[in-house]
Amino acid sequence: MINVFFIGTGGGAPSVRGLPAYLVRKEGINVLLDCGEGTQITMIRHGINIMSIKVIAITHLHADHVLGLPPLIQTLSMYGRKEKLYILGDVKKLLEESFEDTHFSPTFEINYVNSYQDTSIKITPFPTCHVIKSQGYIIEEKERINVDAERLKKEGITDWKILRSLKEGKEVEYEGKKLIPEDYVIKKKGLKIAYTGDTAICERVISAVSSSDLLLHDSTFTMDINASDYGHSTASDAAEVAINSGVKRLGLIHISGRYKSAEPLLEEAMKKFPKSFVPNDLSYIILH
Ligand SMILES: [Zn+2]
Ligand SMILES: [Zn+2]
């Protein structure tokens, strides 16, 4: 199970929607995708624990995606954080200069990495097509391995050590019979979430996000604007990507402040890809 919290679903300048920030939560591991201005304020005001963020992945250095990061790190230090923070994206110079200029040094170690993985998730970047260097992220749940407890019970095997060995992929001798893991193990493919950050419609995004359970794609404008000229996408472009990459659901994000209502964007996307939605700030989605 993965939860995605939509903290800021706008883009460019703040509007009724906040600037880009998305929190992906998987079994106590919290990953923040982008950190626009105001992100920490929104999170703190709405009881979302900023201390629990383990990984922050920034797509690019445009202000609307990154200027919430230096103050967030300063607050984590004021709260006395000791735990290491992993940061993906090209932000080392920005952070170090901002720390120096504001006479601040973090109370915890920052580990600048290109990708991240632990026992339950993996985060990898992919290049997008924007007006400056920018990358999206794929968050994948590791394959889940469960033992077919029903079958073992039917066969009278209840010893947890046998269950554990089979789960670890080891063959087990039981009452003269050889138990083979493949016969008792049920593998379930992990969930895949793709976040583009800012991008025009392009092939490399389509191939990177293929078969995602959830795609969060740039949908800054409606079709009457030539979004590609600005390195952005229309809702219709996002739907096109969703179709061509075979994703299950499409979330339209980075909505321009010019749209007081998201209806025109949603209508445009739904014509091509019915499983589209426009998340509002402070909403969330649970994926199983
Ligand atoms: Zn942006
Ligand atoms: Zn941008």
Side-chain angles (χ1 to χ4, degrees):
M1 184 176 93
I2 294 186
N3 288 347
V4 181
F5 296 88
F6 300 99
I7 298 164
T9 59
S15 60
V16 285
R17 295 173 185 272
L19 294 174
Y22 304 89
L23 189 75
V24 177
R25 180 178 291 165
K26 154 82 184 162
E27 284 162 9
I29 295 164
N30 288 287
V31 179
L32 182 66
L33 299 170
D34 276 334
C35 190
E37 181 192 342
T39 298
Q40 64 161 341
I41 296 172
T42 307
M43 291 179 78
I44 293 165
R45 282 198 183 143
H46 294 90
I48 306 168
N49 181 8
I50 58 168
M51 290 292 267
S52 64
I53 298 169
K54 187 163 190 188
V55 185
I56 300 177
I58 301 292
T59 54
H60 65 301
L61 285 170
H62 274 154
D64 55 328
H65 295 255
V66 74
L67 284 191
L69 187 54
L72 171 64
I73 290 174
Q74 296 211 13
T75 306
L76 294 176
S77 284
M78 273 182 220
Y79 287 2
R81 183 184 175 113
K82 296 277 174 282
E83 196 199 340
K84 191 190 284 182
L85 178 69
Y86 295 88
I87 300 188
L88 286 74
D90 202 8
V91 293
K92 190 167 189 252
K93 183 168 163 276
L94 171 86
L95 287 181
E96 286 181 349
E97 284 177 0
S98 91
F99 295 162
E100 200 186 322
D101 293 348
T102 55
H103 307 276
F104 162 77
S105 76
T107 55
F108 53 91
E109 188 189 331
I110 297 177
N111 211 341
Y112 298 96
V113 290
N114 294 322
S115 59
Y116 172 87
Q117 74 170 307
D118 59 28
T119 50
S120 65
I121 56 160
K122 188 173 148 193
I123 308 168
T124 33
F126 63 92
T128 68
C129 302
H130 194 37
V131 288
I132 61 166
K133 190 176 159 237
S134 187
Q135 58 188 22
Y137 292 97
I138 301 290
I139 300 176
E140 280 168 295
E141 210 178 18
K142 298 258 175 87
E143 188 179 64
R144 283 171 284 180
I145 300 169
N146 287 314
V147 172
D148 189 348
E150 281 295 303
R151 179 169 174 177
L152 285 166
K153 208 168 149 193
K154 264 187 209 152
E155 295 179 16
I157 306 163
T158 51
D159 186 343
W160 66 269
K161 281 186 217 143
I162 295 178
L163 259 77
R164 192 178 62 185
S165 295
L166 289 170
K167 203 172 171 181
E168 286 169 354
K170 294 175 192 156
E171 287 184 4
V172 185
E173 283 279 327
Y174 177 73
E175 294 181 348
K177 195 183 156 200
K178 192 188 269 182
L179 309 180
I180 297 164
E182 286 71 39
D183 293 341
Y184 298 94
V185 160
I186 304 164
K187 289 186 180 171
K188 195 173 178 244
K189 202 177 153 282
L191 294 162
K192 176 175 174 179
I193 295 170
Y195 170 60
T196 65
D198 291 0
T199 190
I201 181 169
C202 71
E203 267 314 313
R204 58 186 183 214
V205 169
I206 292 171
S207 66
V209 306
S210 77
S211 313
S212 296
D213 296 279
L214 172 66
L215 167 64
L216 301 177
H217 195 286
D218 181 321
S219 305
T220 308
F221 300 117
T222 43
M223 264 157 58
D224 51 319
I225 290 169
N226 204 346
S228 282
D229 288 353
Y230 307 98
H232 287 296
S233 299
T234 63
S236 172
D237 292 336
E240 195 77 41
V241 173
I243 294 166
N244 291 325
S245 59
V247 303
K248 292 206 182 115
R249 296 192 76 177
L250 168 67
L252 307 171
I253 51 151
H254 202 268
I255 309 295
S256 161
R258 67 167 56 217
Y259 303 105
K260 299 289 166 265
S261 152
E263 259 330 291
L265 295 133
L266 186 60
E267 255 173 46
E268 198 177 287
M270 297 256 294
K271 271 185 206 153
K272 287 185 174 171
F273 189 77
K275 288 199 164 169
S276 304
F277 67 102
V278 183
N280 284 323
D281 286 18
L282 299 172
S283 64
Y284 65 94
I285 182 170
I286 301 173
L287 303 169
H288 293 279

